[in-house]
Amino acid sequence: MPLNVMLMGPPGSGKGTQAVRIAKRYAIPHISTGDILREAVRSGTPLGREVAAIIARGSLVSDTLVADLVRERLAQPDAAAGWILDGFPRTVAQAEVLDDLVRGARLIVALIEVPDDEIVRRLGNRRVCTSCRLTQSVSALSEGQGESCPYCGGTLVRREDDNAETVRLRLKTYAQHAEPVIAFYRSRAGFLSIDGVQEPEEVTAELYTQMTRLLRT
Ligand code: AMP
């Protein structure tokens, strides 16, 4: 039975960090729609330019576009044994597409809950490595380490949409769209809710405990 996992939570809740760990532990691909869209932006195609403007506004890319990207990605051979989705679905229309793609197989939905003031603080400190793509908080780096990645030595940069103004817009967008998506999943057997205001290792441990319990049923 494939292991299909979806992580939900506001920007900066730690979805990316946790998704990388789950992907490694269960040997399933980590699929981040944000990463796929940023890759399209880097490619500089007309579509990439359109997407860049939407991301810079803190708004959502169209459901059709994102659903097509996810449909294509989940059809790749490495996704046959399962996957972990990070950043999709963000709307009820996208959640309906996902139900269609999953076709009755088990779907674990884990919601990582973090209040807004903590998000604003975290995203101000967040940096992403341009080589290994791992996320790092600059406040957690030790003195003298500068802005190089503690995992691979690559260069750490601030994501363009992590500036204070865009963060506020992204949180507004999340508040508008997330509640109906959470309501869509909340009553299902595969729904988990995790307190995201803990050390990342504690969040991982809680996720594993709750997932293991679910996978036994
Ligand atoms: P993320 O890396 O998940 O924070 O995504 C960065 C940006 O990409 C978001 O602010 C949106 O503009 C866009 N995006 C990512 N995933 C989706 C999605 N599922 N639906 C619509 N837009 C998305």
Side-chain angles (χ1 to χ4, degrees), residues 129 131-132 147-156:
C129 174
S131 305
C132 71
E147 299 252 317
S148 57
C149 174
Y151 304 105
C152 76
T155 311
L156 292 178

Side-chain angles (χ1 to χ4, degrees), residues 33-34 37-38 55 59-61 66 87-88 90 94 159 170:
T33 44
L37 291 168
R38 280 184 288 277
I55 294 181
S59 320
L60 294 184
V61 172
V66 184
F88 180 95
R90 268 176 156 95
Q94 294 179 14
R159 248 174 66 172
R170 286 162 65 202

Side-chain angles (χ1 to χ4, degrees), residues 58-100:
S59 320
L60 294 184
V61 172
S62 83
D63 287 336
T64 337
L65 171 64
V66 184
D68 284 349
L69 292 172
V70 170
R71 197 174 290 116
E72 205 176 290
R73 181 62 188 87
L74 296 190
Q76 301 295 314
D78 68 333
W83 32 257
I84 172 143
L85 274 176
D86 155 15
F88 180 95
R90 268 176 156 95
T91 64
V92 171
Q94 294 179 14
E96 284 165 350
V97 169
L98 186 61
D99 266 358
D100 230 36

Side-chain angles (χ1 to χ4, degrees), residues 5 17 28 32 39 54 63 74 77 130 132 142 144 159 161-162 175 185 187 196 215:
V5 185
T17 303
I28 49 176
S32 151
E39 193 51 51
I54 297 169
D63 287 336
L74 296 190
T130 54
C132 71
S142 49
R159 248 174 66 172
D161 60 347
D162 277 349
Y185 289 116
S187 59
L215 290 170

